[in-house]
Amino acid sequence: MRTLARIRSAATAASAALVIVLAVPGPAHAATTITQDSLAPTSASPGISTTATLKVHSTSCTTVQQLGIAVRDSAGRNFDFPNSLSNVTICPSGFTYTSGARTFLAGTYTEFGYYLDSTGYHNLSSQSLTVAPPSGAPSNPAQGKTLTFDEEFNQPIAYGTRWIGTTTSAYQYGNHNPNDDKLDWLQQSAVNVAGGVATFTAQPGSHTLENGKRAWDTGLLTTEGSSEGFQVRTNDYIETRVQMPSGLGAWPALWSWRNGDTEVDKYEYHPDNPNLLELTNHIKNSQDYYTDAAGVAPGDWVVIGLVYGASSVDWYVNGVKVFSDNTGVGTSFSAYLILNLSVDAGTYHPAPQNTTPITSAADYVRVYR
């Protein structure tokens, strides 16, 4: 019995020793590393839509929350390429990401890939992005000017500080204006920002206009009434990148307004004329119907610029001057900005044909002085 007990005791001790050995942790695994293999382009032309391509690989397959391409100017301001990706799996075999398009002014920028994981944002290798006109190209209208107003729609809209979204003196009743053939009823909630883009959505609402027609809730942003109270002035250059809508009844525009005598329409668009931009100086009664089947169509992103010259207002589309009115705005011009999506009531252009919401979008609004 004693011998058997000793055998059992020895076996128990050996088992305990074995447990202790198994409990010792093995060597730690190395953290996954993501490497940037290439980033293009390194050069671009000012005012011309440009996309970027980022190639990366990792030491083991991993999923990141966001992958994108960042751009900073010499002052550290953000000019990131749009349409970053979410929930991307990157493996040793590599991953290629192509951004959305945007335009840049002439200058030298810092460009780099980045990703977001559970520990935060991580910047990859940086390089220079040189933006310069091709040899022999016309001068950039922003050359020699300073960026004075910069709305990139990378953050929630600064209502009250920069923009007002519920009323404008350009509308007879403040938040609606049926006498201008509009079905609009302004709602701040009709403008949403995501991925560096502001999307304006119009849809049938619950209000009835004075003429008996059903109003459509829609969005408008104006600098009038904000604490900044920004106004464009004579000789300013303004540029925006906007997406042409496709739904009949859509009437997007970027224009200036103050006291009814300073309206200059940087552009107006109606999908029933799918390749046409309306460019109008109401101060001096000049206008051009610019048509471009290759560059203006429903769904297209279009870069539109304008110089508020004292003796001539000049319009640019996708980096090319398309119209000079040779009348101008005078030397004392100043006015607030309005960016909006109106809805046609049907007198001059077709009203919406059904109750399907219609949308338009804007990538940025920049003013150089």
Side-chain angles (χ1 to χ4, degrees):
M1 293 295 293
R2 292 176 183 172
T3 301
L4 181 59
R6 283 198 297 271
I7 293 172
R8 287 177 177 171
S9 177
T12 301
S15 175
L18 178 62
V19 170
I20 293 172
V21 170
L22 292 177
V24 175
H29 293 288
T32 299
T33 300
I34 296 176
T35 301
Q36 177 174 300
D37 298 315
S38 65
L39 177 59
T42 57
S43 63
S45 297
I48 302 300
S49 292
T50 303
T51 62
T53 300
L54 170 67
K55 294 183 179 181
V56 295
H57 77 275
S58 60
T59 52
S60 61
C61 288
T62 186
T63 299
V64 298
Q65 299 169 27
Q66 185 181 17
L67 180 69
I69 300 171
V71 180
R72 301 290 183 269
D73 69 1
S74 59
R77 289 175 293 211
N78 183 340
F79 295 93
D80 292 357
F81 282 96
N83 302 340
S84 60
L85 297 182
S86 300
N87 299 320
V88 179
T89 299
I90 303 172
C91 291
S93 59
F95 183 86
T96 300
Y97 154 64
T98 299
S99 74
R102 73 166 310 140
T103 64
F104 298 92
L105 289 176
T108 300
Y109 301 79
T110 300
E111 174 188 36
F112 54 91
Y114 69 89
Y115 65 93
L116 170 67
D117 63 13
S118 59
T119 64
Y121 281 97
H122 305 272
N123 296 340
L124 300 171
S125 301
S126 64
Q127 63 189 35
S128 292
L129 172 63
T130 302
V131 182
S135 178
S139 61
N140 190 306
Q143 189 171 357
K145 299 180 183 294
T146 300
L147 184 62
T148 304
F149 180 92
D150 182 21
E151 178 57 83
E152 299 292 324
F153 297 116
N154 288 327
Q155 303 293 332
I157 293 172
Y159 286 114
T161 304
R162 167 158 288 188
W163 299 105
I164 297 296
T166 55
T167 186
T168 169
S169 65
Y171 280 16
Q172 181 181 2
Y173 298 100
N175 62 353
H176 61 290
N177 195 26
N179 289 340
D180 193 26
D181 199 42
K182 297 177 186 286
L183 298 179
D184 304 13
W185 197 285
L186 301 185
Q187 298 284 0
Q188 190 168 291
S189 60
V191 185
N192 293 285
V193 170
V197 170
T199 300
F200 295 69
T201 301
Q203 55 191 334
S206 59
H207 298 91
T208 301
L209 300 172
E210 285 73 11
N211 55 18
K213 295 182 178 181
R214 183 182 184 180
W216 279 52
D217 293 342
T218 192
L220 177 148
L221 299 175
T222 179
T223 57
E224 179 185 16
S226 67
S227 59
E228 287 185 9
F230 180 81
Q231 297 186 51
V232 286
R233 302 176 185 172
T234 301
N235 294 324
D236 283 357
Y237 171 66
I238 182 171
E239 183 179 282
T240 188
R241 181 174 180 262
V242 287
Q243 187 178 37
M244 302 295 103
S246 57
L248 284 180
W251 180 2
L254 176 59
W255 44 304
S256 60
W257 179 271
R258 182 177 56 81
N259 300 329
D261 58 358
T262 54
E263 182 178 352
V264 178
D265 297 333
K266 186 170 177 289
Y267 88 99
E268 295 176 273
Y269 180 77
H270 302 274
D272 55 302
N273 292 322
N275 308 122
L276 185 148
L277 296 175
E278 297 180 18
L279 316 174
T280 309
N281 178 359
H282 289 277
I283 300 172
K284 299 291 183 70
N285 296 317
S286 61
Q287 185 177 56
D288 183 61
Y289 287 151
Y290 172 72
T291 301
D292 180 2
V296 178
D300 283 356
W301 283 94
V302 183
V303 177
I304 307 171
L306 178 146
V307 176
Y308 297 96
S311 58
S312 181
V313 177
D314 300 331
W315 281 264
Y316 295 77
V317 176
N318 293 328
V320 178
K321 184 190 289 188
V322 299
F323 177 52
S324 296
D325 71 0
N326 297 315
T327 59
V329 295
T331 58
S332 59
F333 166 82
S334 65
Y336 301 105
L337 292 177
I338 299 177
L339 176 67
N340 73 307
L341 171 62
S342 282
V343 182
D344 283 298
T347 301
Y348 306 107
H349 297 272
Q353 304 300 294
N354 49 50
T355 60
T356 302
I358 56 179
T359 63
S360 68
D363 180 19
Y364 61 81
V365 179
R366 304 169 187 160
V367 178
Y368 300 84
R369 179 172 296 163

PDB file of all heavy atoms in Angstrom, residues 218-247:
ATOM      1  N   THR A 218     -36.004  71.565 -49.105  1.00  0.00           N
ATOM      2  CA  THR A 218     -34.716  71.535 -49.788  1.00  0.00           C
ATOM      3  C   THR A 218     -33.702  72.382 -49.034  1.00  0.00           C
ATOM      4  O   THR A 218     -34.039  73.041 -48.038  1.00  0.00           O
ATOM      5  CB  THR A 218     -34.862  71.998 -51.251  1.00  0.00           C
ATOM      6  OG1 THR A 218     -33.657  71.708 -51.965  1.00  0.00           O
ATOM      7  CG2 THR A 218     -35.163  73.489 -51.337  1.00  0.00           C
ATOM      8  N   GLY A 219     -32.451  72.379 -49.528  1.00  0.00           N
ATOM      9  CA  GLY A 219     -31.361  72.995 -48.787  1.00  0.00           C
ATOM     10  C   GLY A 219     -30.771  74.222 -49.444  1.00  0.00           C
ATOM     11  O   GLY A 219     -30.712  74.319 -50.677  1.00  0.00           O
ATOM     12  N   LEU A 220     -30.307  75.142 -48.616  1.00  0.00           N
ATOM     13  CA  LEU A 220     -29.629  76.367 -49.059  1.00  0.00           C
ATOM     14  C   LEU A 220     -28.617  76.759 -47.997  1.00  0.00           C
ATOM     15  O   LEU A 220     -28.898  76.680 -46.800  1.00  0.00           O
ATOM     16  CB  LEU A 220     -30.649  77.482 -49.287  1.00  0.00           C
ATOM     17  CG  LEU A 220     -30.127  78.868 -49.696  1.00  0.00           C
ATOM     18  CD1 LEU A 220     -31.137  79.571 -50.618  1.00  0.00           C
ATOM     19  CD2 LEU A 220     -29.862  79.759 -48.475  1.00  0.00           C
ATOM     20  N   LEU A 221     -27.442  77.181 -48.440  1.00  0.00           N
ATOM     21  CA  LEU A 221     -26.420  77.727 -47.551  1.00  0.00           C
ATOM     22  C   LEU A 221     -26.107  79.145 -47.994  1.00  0.00           C
ATOM     23  O   LEU A 221     -25.820  79.371 -49.172  1.00  0.00           O
ATOM     24  CB  LEU A 221     -25.144  76.886 -47.606  1.00  0.00           C
ATOM     25  CG  LEU A 221     -25.247  75.427 -47.182  1.00  0.00           C
ATOM     26  CD1 LEU A 221     -23.912  74.714 -47.410  1.00  0.00           C
ATOM     27  CD2 LEU A 221     -25.665  75.305 -45.720  1.00  0.00           C
ATOM     28  N   THR A 222     -26.165  80.085 -47.072  1.00  0.00           N
ATOM     29  CA  THR A 222     -25.793  81.470 -47.379  1.00  0.00           C
ATOM     30  C   THR A 222     -24.912  82.020 -46.273  1.00  0.00           C
ATOM     31  O   THR A 222     -25.070  81.653 -45.094  1.00  0.00           O
ATOM     32  CB  THR A 222     -27.036  82.361 -47.552  1.00  0.00           C
ATOM     33  OG1 THR A 222     -26.614  83.711 -47.838  1.00  0.00           O
ATOM     34  CG2 THR A 222     -27.917  82.373 -46.305  1.00  0.00           C
ATOM     35  N   THR A 223     -23.989  82.885 -46.651  1.00  0.00           N
ATOM     36  CA  THR A 223     -23.149  83.545 -45.649  1.00  0.00           C
ATOM     37  C   THR A 223     -23.859  84.736 -45.022  1.00  0.00           C
ATOM     38  O   THR A 223     -23.402  85.267 -44.011  1.00  0.00           O
ATOM     39  CB  THR A 223     -21.827  84.016 -46.279  1.00  0.00           C
ATOM     40  OG1 THR A 223     -22.111  84.898 -47.384  1.00  0.00           O
ATOM     41  CG2 THR A 223     -21.014  82.831 -46.784  1.00  0.00           C
ATOM     42  N   GLU A 224     -24.974  85.143 -45.590  1.00  0.00           N
ATOM     43  CA  GLU A 224     -25.742  86.273 -45.061  1.00  0.00           C
ATOM     44  C   GLU A 224     -26.324  85.921 -43.691  1.00  0.00           C
ATOM     45  O   GLU A 224     -26.978  84.886 -43.530  1.00  0.00           O
ATOM     46  CB  GLU A 224     -26.879  86.633 -46.007  1.00  0.00           C
ATOM     47  CG  GLU A 224     -27.743  87.792 -45.529  1.00  0.00           C
ATOM     48  CD  GLU A 224     -28.943  88.033 -46.432  1.00  0.00           C
ATOM     49  OE1 GLU A 224     -29.279  87.135 -47.239  1.00  0.00           O
ATOM     50  OE2 GLU A 224     -29.562  89.103 -46.322  1.00  0.00           O
ATOM     51  N   GLY A 225     -26.075  86.767 -42.699  1.00  0.00           N
ATOM     52  CA  GLY A 225     -26.607  86.543 -41.363  1.00  0.00           C
ATOM     53  C   GLY A 225     -25.706  85.736 -40.458  1.00  0.00           C
ATOM     54  O   GLY A 225     -25.969  85.634 -39.253  1.00  0.00           O
ATOM     55  N   SER A 226     -24.642  85.154 -40.989  1.00  0.00           N
ATOM     56  CA  SER A 226     -23.708  84.404 -40.141  1.00  0.00           C
ATOM     57  C   SER A 226     -22.802  85.382 -39.402  1.00  0.00           C
ATOM     58  O   SER A 226     -22.679  86.559 -39.778  1.00  0.00           O
ATOM     59  CB  SER A 226     -22.863  83.455 -40.989  1.00  0.00           C
ATOM     60  OG  SER A 226     -21.994  84.185 -41.843  1.00  0.00           O
ATOM     61  N   SER A 227     -22.137  84.907 -38.363  1.00  0.00           N
ATOM     62  CA  SER A 227     -21.252  85.793 -37.607  1.00  0.00           C
ATOM     63  C   SER A 227     -20.042  86.221 -38.431  1.00  0.00           C
ATOM     64  O   SER A 227     -19.543  87.333 -38.282  1.00  0.00           O
ATOM     65  CB  SER A 227     -20.805  85.122 -36.307  1.00  0.00           C
ATOM     66  OG  SER A 227     -20.117  83.912 -36.568  1.00  0.00           O
ATOM     67  N   GLU A 228     -19.553  85.340 -39.339  1.00  0.00           N
ATOM     68  CA  GLU A 228     -18.479  85.741 -40.235  1.00  0.00           C
ATOM     69  C   GLU A 228     -18.972  86.747 -41.258  1.00  0.00           C
ATOM     70  O   GLU A 228     -18.257  87.688 -41.605  1.00  0.00           O
ATOM     71  CB  GLU A 228     -17.911  84.521 -40.967  1.00  0.00           C
ATOM     72  CG  GLU A 228     -17.059  83.603 -40.122  1.00  0.00           C
ATOM     73  CD  GLU A 228     -16.444  82.481 -40.945  1.00  0.00           C
ATOM     74  OE1 GLU A 228     -16.547  82.519 -42.201  1.00  0.00           O
ATOM     75  OE2 GLU A 228     -15.873  81.560 -40.347  1.00  0.00           O
ATOM     76  N   GLY A 229     -20.166  86.539 -41.768  1.00  0.00           N
ATOM     77  CA  GLY A 229     -20.762  87.461 -42.738  1.00  0.00           C
ATOM     78  C   GLY A 229     -19.922  87.655 -43.986  1.00  0.00           C
ATOM     79  O   GLY A 229     -19.852  88.764 -44.531  1.00  0.00           O
ATOM     80  N   PHE A 230     -19.281  86.580 -44.466  1.00  0.00           N
ATOM     81  CA  PHE A 230     -18.356  86.723 -45.588  1.00  0.00           C
ATOM     82  C   PHE A 230     -19.063  87.236 -46.839  1.00  0.00           C
ATOM     83  O   PHE A 230     -20.168  86.801 -47.173  1.00  0.00           O
ATOM     84  CB  PHE A 230     -17.684  85.390 -45.896  1.00  0.00           C
ATOM     85  CG  PHE A 230     -16.724  85.467 -47.044  1.00  0.00           C
ATOM     86  CD1 PHE A 230     -15.443  85.958 -46.857  1.00  0.00           C
ATOM     87  CD2 PHE A 230     -17.107  85.086 -48.333  1.00  0.00           C
ATOM     88  CE1 PHE A 230     -14.548  86.057 -47.919  1.00  0.00           C
ATOM     89  CE2 PHE A 230     -16.231  85.177 -49.399  1.00  0.00           C
ATOM     90  CZ  PHE A 230     -14.944  85.672 -49.197  1.00  0.00           C
ATOM     91  N   GLN A 231     -18.381  88.159 -47.553  1.00  0.00           N
ATOM     92  CA  GLN A 231     -18.872  88.665 -48.831  1.00  0.00           C
ATOM     93  C   GLN A 231     -17.752  88.620 -49.869  1.00  0.00           C
ATOM     94  O   GLN A 231     -16.592  88.898 -49.558  1.00  0.00           O
ATOM     95  CB  GLN A 231     -19.374  90.109 -48.704  1.00  0.00           C
ATOM     96  CG  GLN A 231     -20.561  90.285 -47.773  1.00  0.00           C
ATOM     97  CD  GLN A 231     -21.098  91.703 -47.791  1.00  0.00           C
ATOM     98  OE1 GLN A 231     -21.361  92.271 -48.844  1.00  0.00           O
ATOM     99  NE2 GLN A 231     -21.269  92.285 -46.606  1.00  0.00           N
ATOM    100  N   VAL A 232     -18.109  88.262 -51.093  1.00  0.00           N
ATOM    101  CA  VAL A 232     -17.164  88.375 -52.197  1.00  0.00           C
ATOM    102  C   VAL A 232     -17.099  89.839 -52.621  1.00  0.00           C
ATOM    103  O   VAL A 232     -18.048  90.607 -52.439  1.00  0.00           O
ATOM    104  CB  VAL A 232     -17.580  87.480 -53.389  1.00  0.00           C
ATOM    105  CG1 VAL A 232     -17.309  86.027 -53.078  1.00  0.00           C
ATOM    106  CG2 VAL A 232     -19.045  87.690 -53.768  1.00  0.00           C
ATOM    107  N   ARG A 233     -15.953  90.200 -53.234  1.00  0.00           N
ATOM    108  CA  ARG A 233     -15.714  91.599 -53.627  1.00  0.00           C
ATOM    109  C   ARG A 233     -15.185  91.666 -55.059  1.00  0.00           C
ATOM    110  O   ARG A 233     -14.828  90.654 -55.656  1.00  0.00           O
ATOM    111  CB  ARG A 233     -14.688  92.251 -52.686  1.00  0.00           C
ATOM    112  CG  ARG A 233     -15.051  92.253 -51.219  1.00  0.00           C
ATOM    113  CD  ARG A 233     -13.890  92.835 -50.413  1.00  0.00           C
ATOM    114  NE  ARG A 233     -14.107  92.771 -48.992  1.00  0.00           N
ATOM    115  CZ  ARG A 233     -13.188  93.075 -48.082  1.00  0.00           C
ATOM    116  NH1 ARG A 233     -11.964  93.449 -48.485  1.00  0.00           N
ATOM    117  NH2 ARG A 233     -13.466  92.990 -46.791  1.00  0.00           N
ATOM    118  N   THR A 234     -15.129  92.870 -55.563  1.00  0.00           N
ATOM    119  CA  THR A 234     -14.529  93.107 -56.876  1.00  0.00           C
ATOM    120  C   THR A 234     -13.122  92.517 -56.926  1.00  0.00           C
ATOM    121  O   THR A 234     -12.334  92.672 -55.999  1.00  0.00           O
ATOM    122  CB  THR A 234     -14.468  94.612 -57.172  1.00  0.00           C
ATOM    123  OG1 THR A 234     -15.791  95.148 -57.129  1.00  0.00           O
ATOM    124  CG2 THR A 234     -13.887  94.877 -58.551  1.00  0.00           C
ATOM    125  N   ASN A 235     -12.834  91.814 -58.010  1.00  0.00           N
ATOM    126  CA  ASN A 235     -11.547  91.172 -58.313  1.00  0.00           C
ATOM    127  C   ASN A 235     -11.338  89.841 -57.600  1.00  0.00           C
ATOM    128  O   ASN A 235     -10.299  89.187 -57.830  1.00  0.00           O
ATOM    129  CB  ASN A 235     -10.357  92.105 -58.029  1.00  0.00           C
ATOM    130  CG  ASN A 235     -10.343  93.300 -58.960  1.00  0.00           C
ATOM    131  OD1 ASN A 235     -10.696  93.194 -60.133  1.00  0.00           O
ATOM    132  ND2 ASN A 235      -9.960  94.459 -58.427  1.00  0.00           N
ATOM    133  N   ASP A 236     -12.263  89.398 -56.772  1.00  0.00           N
ATOM    134  CA  ASP A 236     -12.143  88.063 -56.180  1.00  0.00           C
ATOM    135  C   ASP A 236     -12.299  86.995 -57.259  1.00  0.00           C
ATOM    136  O   ASP A 236     -13.006  87.190 -58.258  1.00  0.00           O
ATOM    137  CB  ASP A 236     -13.227  87.833 -55.127  1.00  0.00           C
ATOM    138  CG  ASP A 236     -12.930  88.524 -53.809  1.00  0.00           C
ATOM    139  OD1 ASP A 236     -11.850  89.135 -53.679  1.00  0.00           O
ATOM    140  OD2 ASP A 236     -13.796  88.468 -52.902  1.00  0.00           O
ATOM    141  N   TYR A 237     -11.639  85.858 -57.017  1.00  0.00           N
ATOM    142  CA  TYR A 237     -11.851  84.674 -57.852  1.00  0.00           C
ATOM    143  C   TYR A 237     -12.496  83.605 -56.988  1.00  0.00           C
ATOM    144  O   TYR A 237     -11.987  83.265 -55.914  1.00  0.00           O
ATOM    145  CB  TYR A 237     -10.533  84.146 -58.417  1.00  0.00           C
ATOM    146  CG  TYR A 237     -10.658  82.793 -59.106  1.00  0.00           C
ATOM    147  CD1 TYR A 237     -11.404  82.654 -60.276  1.00  0.00           C
ATOM    148  CD2 TYR A 237     -10.050  81.661 -58.569  1.00  0.00           C
ATOM    149  CE1 TYR A 237     -11.521  81.418 -60.902  1.00  0.00           C
ATOM    150  CE2 TYR A 237     -10.168  80.428 -59.190  1.00  0.00           C
ATOM    151  CZ  TYR A 237     -10.906  80.303 -60.352  1.00  0.00           C
ATOM    152  OH  TYR A 237     -11.037  79.080 -60.956  1.00  0.00           O
ATOM    153  N   ILE A 238     -13.638  83.067 -57.425  1.00  0.00           N
ATOM    154  CA  ILE A 238     -14.338  82.024 -56.686  1.00  0.00           C
ATOM    155  C   ILE A 238     -14.355  80.759 -57.529  1.00  0.00           C
ATOM    156  O   ILE A 238     -14.522  80.812 -58.752  1.00  0.00           O
ATOM    157  CB  ILE A 238     -15.770  82.465 -56.311  1.00  0.00           C
ATOM    158  CG1 ILE A 238     -16.474  81.373 -55.486  1.00  0.00           C
ATOM    159  CG2 ILE A 238     -16.587  82.830 -57.555  1.00  0.00           C
ATOM    160  CD1 ILE A 238     -17.801  81.835 -54.911  1.00  0.00           C
ATOM    161  N   GLU A 239     -14.158  79.627 -56.865  1.00  0.00           N
ATOM    162  CA  GLU A 239     -14.148  78.341 -57.573  1.00  0.00           C
ATOM    163  C   GLU A 239     -14.909  77.308 -56.757  1.00  0.00           C
ATOM    164  O   GLU A 239     -14.829  77.279 -55.522  1.00  0.00           O
ATOM    165  CB  GLU A 239     -12.711  77.863 -57.801  1.00  0.00           C
ATOM    166  CG  GLU A 239     -12.614  76.566 -58.609  1.00  0.00           C
ATOM    167  CD  GLU A 239     -11.180  76.153 -58.840  1.00  0.00           C
ATOM    168  OE1 GLU A 239     -10.533  76.743 -59.729  1.00  0.00           O
ATOM    169  OE2 GLU A 239     -10.705  75.241 -58.123  1.00  0.00           O
ATOM    170  N   THR A 240     -15.650  76.458 -57.450  1.00  0.00           N
ATOM    171  CA  THR A 240     -16.360  75.373 -56.797  1.00  0.00           C
ATOM    172  C   THR A 240     -16.309  74.139 -57.678  1.00  0.00           C
ATOM    173  O   THR A 240     -16.125  74.232 -58.889  1.00  0.00           O
ATOM    174  CB  THR A 240     -17.826  75.751 -56.511  1.00  0.00           C
ATOM    175  OG1 THR A 240     -18.432  74.743 -55.716  1.00  0.00           O
ATOM    176  CG2 THR A 240     -18.621  75.902 -57.807  1.00  0.00           C
ATOM    177  N   ARG A 241     -16.450  72.990 -57.046  1.00  0.00           N
ATOM    178  CA  ARG A 241     -16.581  71.722 -57.778  1.00  0.00           C
ATOM    179  C   ARG A 241     -17.916  71.123 -57.385  1.00  0.00           C
ATOM    180  O   ARG A 241     -18.154  70.841 -56.198  1.00  0.00           O
ATOM    181  CB  ARG A 241     -15.427  70.778 -57.454  1.00  0.00           C
ATOM    182  CG  ARG A 241     -15.483  69.438 -58.208  1.00  0.00           C
ATOM    183  CD  ARG A 241     -14.228  68.627 -57.938  1.00  0.00           C
ATOM    184  NE  ARG A 241     -14.248  67.345 -58.630  1.00  0.00           N
ATOM    185  CZ  ARG A 241     -14.615  66.185 -58.040  1.00  0.00           C
ATOM    186  NH1 ARG A 241     -14.950  66.169 -56.767  1.00  0.00           N
ATOM    187  NH2 ARG A 241     -14.626  65.061 -58.743  1.00  0.00           N
ATOM    188  N   VAL A 242     -18.787  70.926 -58.366  1.00  0.00           N
ATOM    189  CA  VAL A 242     -20.151  70.504 -58.083  1.00  0.00           C
ATOM    190  C   VAL A 242     -20.543  69.356 -59.003  1.00  0.00           C
ATOM    191  O   VAL A 242     -20.015  69.211 -60.103  1.00  0.00           O
ATOM    192  CB  VAL A 242     -21.149  71.676 -58.261  1.00  0.00           C
ATOM    193  CG1 VAL A 242     -21.016  72.670 -57.132  1.00  0.00           C
ATOM    194  CG2 VAL A 242     -20.946  72.365 -59.605  1.00  0.00           C
ATOM    195  N   GLN A 243     -21.480  68.565 -58.541  1.00  0.00           N
ATOM    196  CA  GLN A 243     -21.991  67.448 -59.337  1.00  0.00           C
ATOM    197  C   GLN A 243     -23.338  67.820 -59.926  1.00  0.00           C
ATOM    198  O   GLN A 243     -24.248  68.267 -59.220  1.00  0.00           O
ATOM    199  CB  GLN A 243     -22.130  66.188 -58.488  1.00  0.00           C
ATOM    200  CG  GLN A 243     -22.508  64.950 -59.303  1.00  0.00           C
ATOM    201  CD  GLN A 243     -22.587  63.713 -58.448  1.00  0.00           C
ATOM    202  OE1 GLN A 243     -23.032  63.752 -57.296  1.00  0.00           O
ATOM    203  NE2 GLN A 243     -22.144  62.585 -58.991  1.00  0.00           N
ATOM    204  N   MET A 244     -23.472  67.630 -61.232  1.00  0.00           N
ATOM    205  CA  MET A 244     -24.713  67.942 -61.912  1.00  0.00           C
ATOM    206  C   MET A 244     -25.793  66.908 -61.558  1.00  0.00           C
ATOM    207  O   MET A 244     -25.552  65.705 -61.656  1.00  0.00           O
ATOM    208  CB  MET A 244     -24.516  67.956 -63.426  1.00  0.00           C
ATOM    209  CG  MET A 244     -23.464  68.942 -63.929  1.00  0.00           C
ATOM    210  SD  MET A 244     -23.905  70.688 -63.647  1.00  0.00           S
ATOM    211  CE  MET A 244     -22.864  71.079 -62.206  1.00  0.00           C
ATOM    212  N   PRO A 245     -26.975  67.345 -61.126  1.00  0.00           N
ATOM    213  CA  PRO A 245     -28.040  66.395 -60.780  1.00  0.00           C
ATOM    214  C   PRO A 245     -28.712  65.835 -62.018  1.00  0.00           C
ATOM    215  O   PRO A 245     -28.566  66.358 -63.131  1.00  0.00           O
ATOM    216  CB  PRO A 245     -29.017  67.253 -59.974  1.00  0.00           C
ATOM    217  CG  PRO A 245     -28.839  68.623 -60.543  1.00  0.00           C
ATOM    218  CD  PRO A 245     -27.368  68.736 -60.892  1.00  0.00           C
ATOM    219  N   SER A 246     -29.494  64.759 -61.831  1.00  0.00           N
ATOM    220  CA  SER A 246     -30.171  64.120 -62.954  1.00  0.00           C
ATOM    221  C   SER A 246     -31.687  64.215 -62.873  1.00  0.00           C
ATOM    222  O   SER A 246     -32.374  64.065 -63.886  1.00  0.00           O
ATOM    223  CB  SER A 246     -29.764  62.646 -63.043  1.00  0.00           C
ATOM    224  OG  SER A 246     -30.052  61.977 -61.829  1.00  0.00           O
ATOM    225  N   GLY A 247     -32.237  64.454 -61.693  1.00  0.00           N
ATOM    226  CA  GLY A 247     -33.683  64.455 -61.542  1.00  0.00           C
ATOM    227  C   GLY A 247     -34.336  65.712 -62.109  1.00  0.00           C
ATOM    228  O   GLY A 247     -33.916  66.839 -61.804  1.00  0.00           O
TER     229      GLY A 247
END
